[in-house]
Amino acid sequence: MSFFSVPSATGVAGVIGVAAVLGSAATMAPTPSTALPAPSSHREAPGTASNPQVDATDFYMFRSYEAGKDDMVVLVANYYPLQDPYGGPNYFALSNDAIYEIHVDQDGNAEEDLTFRFQFDSQLQPIALNIGNPGQEVSVPIPLINAGAITAGDTSALNRTETYTLDVIQGDRRTGTVFSSLNQADSSPTFKKPVDNIGTKSIADYATYAQAHQYSISLPGGMTGRVFVGQRKDPFVVNLGEVFDLVNFDPTGAVNSQTDDLADKNVTSLVLEVPIAFLTNGSEDVIGAWTTASLRQARVLNPEPNAMKGVAVHGGAFTQVSRLGHPLVNELVIGLPDKDRFNHSDPTGDGQFLTYVTNPSLPELLEILFPVTAPNLFPRTDLVDVFLLGVDTLNRPAGVVGSEMLRLNTATPVTAIGAQNNLGVIGGDLAGYPNGRRPGDDVVDIALRAVMGVLLPVADAPNGQTPFTDGAFVDETAFDTTFPFLRDPIPGAPN
């Protein structure tokens, strides 16, 4: 019998604090892998590394902890990694030739029932100056993205603007019913994206400017939500360089002893606030979700590009090139030969990647590099539950089909600001990762402890209760308490 057609066999095996210890989920015999779980997806695969505009970096899904908004779920899809704030003059526009999507599975069958589809368009003014002797001036387009100061009420100095549309697709993303969301303020189907944070001379009050790009949107069935798309301070916190350098730090040290290598980086965020009632369709409380980006199959380079024709002509059907659910999968769980395959795959095909979860190599690597002992239980059904099924009695939908996606029990009570535990479920906070993911959840530390067996009996994981860490600390205090939660981007020039 295929593992991917049945739920876990044994359910909850015990309790760590108030967190469920995950039980056996499969009996199939695995084969060895070379996987190693670690940070979120920043340049995680060869294909997306060459096209950062469609590279998904992080995905968050949580019940809103904004006051009076606990009937809402917030979905955050981040793209375009490692944005240096000073990265002008072009900065970090999203691709006009791509579609960016957030998919929601309402019934646990590993197929999308809802899709939120974003498509972008850039417009060139173009702003030009009259240059030359009096009476002999010629109009010359400027080389910069703006020609003067920008405010929430006056963007006329912008040389290039970005807009987007948002479609809600009910059913299969390719064949379902398409609903075009409208701006509730003016019934327009087009929304504006704020320009990136050029600097304080160009945009003196970026917070007010960005806030003017939050929109109330229409949803099918007469419901409403909110959307914001724009640059944010990258919310992910990780000791990135040293993790990749054969874990070049002490993983048993202090949780705040190392550097956050993304502290000076921005990212582009697609943020939605959607009613729970719309996402669950009034039935199953547990939803699953993941993000994708897709490009046309064919591209022909234009030998004479210009603003009207662009640098290439794209054609053919859209094909998926990026995928992200859990923050711990493609970058270092999936082996190098399969990274692009994973990015092109759907959750229904995740059986082909099972070994990367059941036989992770990170514990063995840590055992080689440090005086610790790796778990000795295989297959690692505890990790299967976290990544592929959901935690039994917490966020596993009835009749679940095993597949990699972030799962959230929308009936789990919200943990208020000031009470959130950045270790989520293993820290006793059932509203945290892997029951969805909040910005303040330290998923790197959670992952390190999970792969070393925090959810296993001590007999199977001698170092399971060791507080492993990457040393880069994050919690809820690094984020805002209101929509869109992620903080304003770092300005390119703060003077």
Side-chain angles (χ1 to χ4, degrees), residues 63-333:
R63 282 187 67 177
S64 177
Y65 46 85
E66 181 177 348
K69 292 285 187 176
D70 61 355
D71 60 341
M72 296 284 185
V73 167
V74 178
L75 304 157
V76 182
N78 286 346
Y79 289 90
Y80 213 146
L82 305 177
Q83 296 180 15
D84 291 317
Y86 47 80
N90 297 304
Y91 297 95
F92 304 97
L94 292 180
S95 174
N96 295 345
D97 301 306
I99 55 175
Y100 300 85
E101 296 175 316
I102 301 173
H103 310 282
V104 178
D105 175 12
Q106 296 176 319
D107 54 16
N109 69 350
E111 299 176 1
E112 70 273 5
D113 299 292
L114 291 171
T115 293
F116 299 91
R117 176 177 293 167
F118 297 79
Q119 291 184 272
F120 292 85
D121 187 32
S122 296
Q123 302 84 31
L124 188 64
Q125 297 290 56
I127 296 174
L129 300 177
N130 291 325
I131 309 296
N133 295 322
Q136 297 178 321
E137 297 96 341
V138 292
S139 180
V140 181
I142 68 170
L144 304 179
I145 199 171
N146 62 308
I150 300 161
T151 68
D154 183 4
T155 60
S156 59
L158 266 178
N159 198 16
R160 187 191 68 213
T161 59
E162 284 184 272
T163 59
Y164 63 95
T165 58
L166 172 59
D167 292 333
V168 182
I169 304 166
Q170 297 174 294
D172 186 279
R173 65 174 122 164
R174 300 169 183 86
T175 60
T177 302
V178 179
F179 174 90
S180 295
S181 286
L182 302 178
N183 180 352
Q184 293 287 80
D186 61 9
S187 298
S188 169
T190 303
F191 305 89
K192 294 179 180 178
K193 174 180 174 290
V195 71
D196 295 343
N197 198 353
I198 301 165
T200 54
K201 184 176 181 179
S202 292
I203 313 173
D205 185 358
Y206 195 88
T208 300
Y209 168 68
Q211 189 173 25
H213 294 80
Q214 294 181 23
Y215 301 99
S216 177
I217 59 172
S218 61
L219 297 170
M223 296 189 188
T224 60
R226 276 195 288 181
V227 67
F228 170 81
V229 174
Q231 191 180 50
R232 299 280 90 188
K233 164 69 183 72
D234 195 323
F236 192 58
V237 173
V238 62
N239 181 16
L240 196 63
E242 292 183 335
V243 166
F244 290 137
D245 187 23
L246 293 178
V247 193
N248 190 8
F249 59 92
D250 179 5
T252 63
V255 297
N256 59 354
S257 60
Q258 302 295 323
T259 301
D260 170 24
D261 288 338
L262 303 183
D264 60 350
K265 304 297 182 184
N266 293 325
V267 75
T268 301
S269 299
L270 284 56
V271 191
L272 286 167
E273 180 187 80
V274 183
I276 291 174
F278 180 72
L279 292 176
T280 63
N281 198 26
S283 54
E284 171 66 62
D285 289 328
V286 177
I287 57 174
W290 68 102
T291 72
T292 62
S294 301
L295 292 169
R296 296 285 187 182
Q297 290 179 337
R299 182 181 72 156
V300 178
L301 294 178
N302 184 356
E304 297 181 358
N306 57 43
M308 298 298 295
K309 297 179 181 179
V311 298
V313 176
H314 298 79
F318 280 104
T319 185
Q320 182 180 302
V321 296
S322 180
R323 170 186 169 191
L324 182 62
H326 283 270
L328 316 162
V329 177
N330 200 10
E331 194 158 38
L332 287 174
V333 170

